[in-house]
Amino acid sequence: MSWYGYGCSYFPPCTDFIYVTDAGACISAGPPCNFPDTVYINHVRGRTETYEWRCPGEEQCVDGDGDGYYTYNSANCPQGNDCNDSDPNINPATIWYKDTDNDGYSNGTTLTQCERPSGYKLASELTSTSGDCNDNNPAVNPSAQEVCGDGIDNNCNGQTDEGCLKCEISITANPNAVWPKNAGSSQTTSIITVSLTNPAPPEGCTVNLSVEPVANSGGHSHSGTRPKGKITDSSGNVISSVNLSNAENSAVVKYTSSEVGGEERIIATVTGGDESEAKIKVRVPGLGSMGESDAWRLTGQTTNHPVNHYGTYTTIGNIGNMAADYYQQFDATLGINDMSLPDGGMFDICGTYNPTDTCLNAPNGGHSSHRKGTGVDIDRTAQSQNGWIRVDRIAIREICKDYGGHLVRESTIHCEFPQ
Amino acid sequence: MINKRVIFIVLIGIIFSTSLAFAQIPSPLKDVKVTGLVMLDSTTGIYTYNYSIFNPPINDGKIFHFEIDITKPLNSQELNSAGLVIRRGVKAQGGMIIRSFEEEVARIKEVLQKPVIPVGAQPPFGQPFPGWITAITVMGTVSWGGSEQSLILPNQTFGGFILTSYGLPGIRDVKIEPDIDIDNLPEQYWENIELTKQLEDSLIYQTKTLGPTAPPADFKPVSFIDYIISMKHEAFSLGWITNQGIEQSLDAKLENAKKKIEQGNKNAAKNILNAFINEVEAQKDKHLTSEAYGLLKYNVEYLIGRL
């Protein structure tokens, strides 16, 4: 029972109430305006009702729902501002839980206030006051079913598409090492097999294929658009993806190397899903480093190609013997200039990956005879105790011939040995 | 008139510059004369082969290299190598670089394509054309090569190329190669390994000469006399025997000796073979060149010694 509008101008019928002062006196006509007491007992109705009585200018401290909060908030009613005095669950201390998508699950965000914020609910109105991992999507909450293939965590358990069939793949390359193109061998291809490692979803799997050279591999420490291998189907068409299904759970394609030696990654990816890669070494097999010696000097290193003295072991032996022979004959140390890069293949001396670059004023980009580790450039000057001397080209030609080689025109004296 | 003169000069210039660009490729060598003499040191058993090279004036190429096959015949004896040295050449600072045969083979062992018979060798020494070096090559040849100051020009003869071996004289391949100025080859040869190799091969002159070979490991007199007969025929076809009557006379003696050997009459065979040697001696430098003389004399002596 509320006594709205109470004030000095209004009193309930005296016959209905006995007003008792703090001192215990009965007042038949209601309290005066300045009556300071706060407790009145209604004996007529057989129950005790507590009211606070205020004179004009003061508010009555009413707590209609008994939640300890009054309608008015003042010095006399310190726990006021109950915006709903008929509901004990709603008052300024009420905790509201955010449920924007109205799916009965909050994400745990709360506001404590009397008025209901938009998009918020009482705990009693929710299935759970926390756990909604997407409060903007009513289809996502802890009680939702996981939807396969949509790539999202529907049931807010921290996993995506758990329990669903996925496109899980593997990729292999056989062989995993091939020759660079145009380096003297036709073994420039590898069989690439892409397979499903588990049953595929009903819609199948599209696997994207790409080839990525490993930076700086093969001795190329320069920028530029690096040529890379290509992937082709059985008809020779360049492809970038294959389709797999439970019926055809593997695909065989072909990798063909470019002219550049080094390492390449063949990457198979399923959009938003699994990824697998196979590495292929593009190299002329059996190349080794020339190494240092007192009998020769290694020259010709550049920032583009800091390691330029690789050759077949036969060639390395031949060059060493050749330098030793020349040293014995002429008391001069030959300068061993460019041989091949560590993996052979294109020796783009201009550092542009352009095989037709003519920075050496030579056709075919220069150094086309430095791709397979069987050739060496001899500097035109050799170091003797008396200083630098011009290398006897014909003597070099003769020594080169001793080891089965022959000279080829280049900017330096190039001796080419048999494979 | 002036215009015509200018055009003429330009044309001459073009022709001249074109000819300059291509003048570096010599014509294929022809008719190079390789003369081989052989002598046996009976105390050591070492045969010494002495070669000279004549570059006839019809050639325009300068010879910088020649090599003689010394590969070991199949199923032949393992020959001694004691005392055989490779005198590689004269160092720029003086002194001769000398290796034993074993050292020389060890130098190229990893890449030696075929087994070779042991030899010693040296370039012309004390001759007015220094700079030649010699070596055993990976191809199973013994080679001599010049430097920029010591090419054999057309109409020149260089001699004094020495080869030593315990190997009997045989008929061996010899290749002679002219120098090409690699640096001035036409553009199509730049870095073109195969084309350059083809060019080199096309200029080489290949012929036969006397050279060391090894007798069969399983020596059988009849087989060996057949071998001598076949070499005699080849020597005739090579022009080393210049008179057919002499060739037939020698042939008859060898066939007769063969019959005696087959009949088991070794003494009769020896007598015939000694007569054969007498005829060879008599015809030396007449109807037998030094190659035919050495070939027939020393192989027959070897046969006689084993009958």
Side-chain angles (χ1 to χ4, degrees):
Chain A
M1 181 176 180
S2 297
W3 290 75
Y4 297 110
Y6 273 92
C8 292
S9 60
Y10 176 75
F11 294 97
C14 289
T15 53
D16 289 342
F17 295 89
I18 296 172
Y19 299 96
V20 181
T21 69
D22 290 343
C26 178
I27 300 171
S28 61
C33 288
N34 60 351
F35 191 79
D37 294 332
T38 57
V39 178
Y40 299 90
I41 302 170
N42 184 343
H43 294 285
V44 175
R45 294 189 179 181
R47 62 179 183 268
T48 298
E49 295 177 341
T50 301
Y51 305 101
E52 285 191 46
W53 189 260
R54 293 294 179 267
C55 290
E58 298 180 333
E59 297 81 13
Q60 183 185 17
C61 293
V62 178
D63 183 9
D65 53 13
D67 62 359
Y69 288 86
Y70 306 104
T71 303
Y72 297 103
N73 186 42
S74 68
N76 293 325
C77 302
Q79 286 205 119
N81 289 336
D82 188 347
C83 61
N84 185 348
D85 205 28
S86 61
D87 186 341
N89 294 316
I90 298 176
N91 55 52
T94 299
I95 300 172
W96 299 95
Y97 294 88
K98 190 168 184 285
D99 181 17
T100 307
D101 56 12
N102 199 31
D103 61 358
Y105 288 86
S106 172
N107 64 3
T109 302
T110 61
L111 285 174
T112 302
Q113 62 185 55
C114 190
E115 295 290 342
R116 177 192 293 269
S118 175
Y120 281 74
K121 290 182 178 175
L122 294 171
S124 59
E125 297 169 335
L126 293 171
T127 305
S128 173
T129 58
S130 63
D132 193 343
C133 56
N134 186 346
D135 201 30
N136 294 310
N137 185 348
V140 175
N141 58 60
S143 66
Q145 289 291 316
E146 189 68 23
V147 178
C148 292
D150 64 355
I152 60 175
D153 179 11
N154 305 90
N155 59 5
C156 295
N157 67 351
Q159 300 175 23
T160 300
D161 292 352
E162 74 278 11
C164 300
L165 292 175
K166 296 179 185 175
C167 294
E168 294 179 320
I169 55 171
S170 70
I171 184 169
T172 60
N174 185 23
N176 59 9
V178 299
W179 281 64
K181 183 179 167 189
N182 296 336
S185 172
S186 60
Q187 297 170 26
T188 58
T189 62
S190 177
I191 300 300
I192 306 299
T193 304
V194 187
S195 304
L196 291 173
T197 56
N198 282 309
E203 66 273 19
C205 302
T206 297
V207 182
N208 300 308
L209 299 172
S210 62
V211 179
E212 295 297 333
V214 174
N216 295 332
S217 63
H220 295 276
S221 298
H222 56 83
S223 57
T225 304
R226 182 170 178 149
K228 56 186 181 182
K230 61 182 180 181
I231 295 176
T232 54
D233 61 16
S234 58
S235 302
N237 301 313
V238 176
I239 58 171
S240 59
S241 66
V242 293
N243 294 315
L244 301 179
S245 65
N246 290 323
E248 293 185 24
N249 61 4
S250 69
V252 175
V253 295
K254 186 167 77 172
Y255 165 89
T256 303
S257 65
S258 74
E259 296 177 85
V260 180
E263 192 169 36
E264 296 191 345
R265 301 162 59 216
I266 301 177
I267 304 169
T269 56
V270 178
T271 303
D274 201 14
E275 177 174 316
S276 179
E277 75 172 45
K279 285 185 177 175
I280 284 197
K281 187 79 171 173
V282 182
R283 87 301 174 242
V284 174
L287 298 189
S289 175
M290 182 70 207
E292 302 280 351
S293 169
D294 292 339
W296 60 80
R297 294 177 303 107
L298 299 181
T299 65
Q301 302 91 336
T302 65
T303 54
N304 287 337
H305 306 104
V307 180
N308 59 329
H309 294 102
Y310 270 69
T312 65
Y313 283 105
T314 301
T315 298
I316 289 171
N318 284 338
I319 294 170
N321 287 335
M322 188 174 159
D325 285 357
Y326 195 87
Y327 183 81
Q328 283 196 322
Q329 187 73 20
F330 293 94
D331 276 345
T333 305
L334 288 178
I336 304 298
N337 208 301
D338 287 342
M339 293 166 59
S340 288
L341 296 178
D343 290 322
M346 180 199 295
F347 196 150
D348 55 329
I349 191 168
C350 309
T352 58
Y353 289 123
N354 181 357
T356 61
D357 201 326
T358 56
C359 68
L360 277 186
N361 194 30
N364 304 318
H367 272 29
S368 59
S369 51
H370 289 258
R371 294 188 171 207
K372 52 185 179 179
T374 53
V376 59
D377 285 349
I378 304 296
D379 288 343
R380 288 187 178 276
T381 53
Q383 193 172 24
S384 75
Q385 291 181 342
N386 300 321
W388 295 92
I389 61 170
R390 191 174 69 87
V391 168
D392 187 320
R393 181 184 61 78
I394 294 176
I396 283 287
R397 189 172 177 216
E398 172 61 24
I399 296 173
C400 177
K401 285 183 73 68
D402 286 350
Y403 294 97
H406 61 276
L407 298 192
V408 182
R409 175 172 182 170
E410 263 202 24
S411 57
T412 52
I413 302 172
H414 180 102
C415 177
E416 184 71 20
F417 295 104
Q419 187 75 39
Chain B
M1 186 65 183
I2 292 173
N3 286 341
K4 284 182 180 177
R5 184 175 296 168
V6 169
I7 291 168
F8 175 76
I9 292 170
V10 169
L11 282 174
I12 290 296
I14 292 170
I15 293 167
F16 181 69
S17 59
T18 305
S19 64
L20 265 186
F22 290 90
Q24 305 302 328
I25 301 179
S27 305
L29 287 177
K30 293 179 184 174
D31 300 337
V32 177
K33 177 72 173 173
V34 180
T35 302
L37 298 170
V38 59
M39 292 182 63
L40 172 64
D41 181 340
S42 56
T43 58
T44 62
I46 292 176
Y47 295 90
T48 297
Y49 300 81
N50 191 336
Y51 301 98
S52 63
I53 308 292
F54 172 59
N55 187 5
I58 57 169
N59 292 325
D60 55 13
K62 305 167 186 174
I63 295 171
F64 92 103
H65 169 91
F66 75 100
E67 57 189 322
I68 296 172
D69 177 31
I70 56 167
T71 53
K72 183 175 180 296
L74 281 175
N75 303 318
S76 61
Q77 289 181 26
E78 297 294 337
L79 296 178
N80 192 1
S81 62
L84 302 179
V85 295
I86 307 292
R87 296 177 183 270
R88 183 163 177 77
V90 178
K91 291 179 72 167
Q93 302 297 322
M96 176 78 81
I97 303 160
I98 299 174
R99 295 191 183 109
S100 69
F101 168 76
E102 285 80 7
E103 288 171 328
E104 180 73 356
V105 170
R107 181 181 64 92
I108 55 170
K109 185 179 179 184
E110 297 298 321
V111 286
L112 185 61
Q113 295 170 6
K114 296 174 184 174
V116 295
I117 63 170
V119 297
Q122 69 179 57
F125 186 61
Q127 299 286 339
F129 35 88
W132 283 72
I133 57 177
T134 188
I136 294 173
T137 75
V138 299
M139 290 80 70
T141 62
V142 58
S143 83
W144 289 267
S147 71
E148 291 170 345
Q149 283 75 41
S150 58
L151 304 176
I152 305 175
L153 306 179
N155 207 27
Q156 276 190 336
T157 299
F158 280 12
F161 301 98
I162 303 297
L163 189 58
T164 55
S165 173
Y166 293 92
L168 284 166
I171 299 174
R172 288 291 199 170
D173 290 328
V174 56
K175 293 179 180 177
I176 307 103
E177 187 172 353
D179 179 44
I180 53 174
D181 186 352
I182 298 287
D183 294 339
N184 290 298
L185 288 178
E187 191 169 304
Q188 66 264 30
Y189 293 99
W190 293 12
E191 291 203 58
N192 192 325
I193 298 166
E194 290 306 316
L195 198 59
T196 304
K197 187 75 169 62
Q198 286 174 19
L199 173 65
E200 286 183 343
D201 290 345
S202 71
L203 303 180
I204 289 172
Y205 181 72
Q206 183 165 341
T207 183
K208 302 280 188 183
T209 191
L210 207 57
T213 187
D218 181 18
F219 183 83
K220 292 176 180 171
V222 172
S223 299
F224 195 75
I225 203 167
D226 280 339
Y227 164 68
I228 295 172
I229 290 169
S230 69
M231 285 199 296
K232 183 195 59 63
H233 288 316
E234 188 174 357
F236 181 70
S237 64
L238 287 168
W240 294 355
I241 301 173
T242 58
N243 183 288
Q244 192 168 17
I246 298 297
E247 195 262 342
Q248 289 171 347
S249 170
L250 295 171
D251 198 39
K253 288 185 173 64
L254 290 174
E255 291 292 348
N256 202 8
K258 179 183 172 184
K259 284 179 185 170
K260 298 299 181 190
I261 293 170
E262 288 170 337
Q263 292 165 2
N265 192 344
K266 293 183 179 178
N267 286 333
K270 284 182 183 177
N271 289 335
I272 297 169
L273 291 173
N274 280 322
F276 177 92
I277 289 173
N278 290 336
E279 185 170 356
V280 167
E281 293 282 2
Q283 293 298 329
K284 179 184 176 185
D285 297 331
K286 296 175 183 170
H287 295 299
L288 298 182
T289 65
S290 58
E291 288 85 3
Y293 169 80
L295 186 73
L296 298 174
K297 170 182 168 68
Y298 292 118
N299 278 283
V300 170
E301 284 184 348
Y302 182 84
L303 173 62
I304 292 170
R306 282 155 184 77
L307 284 177

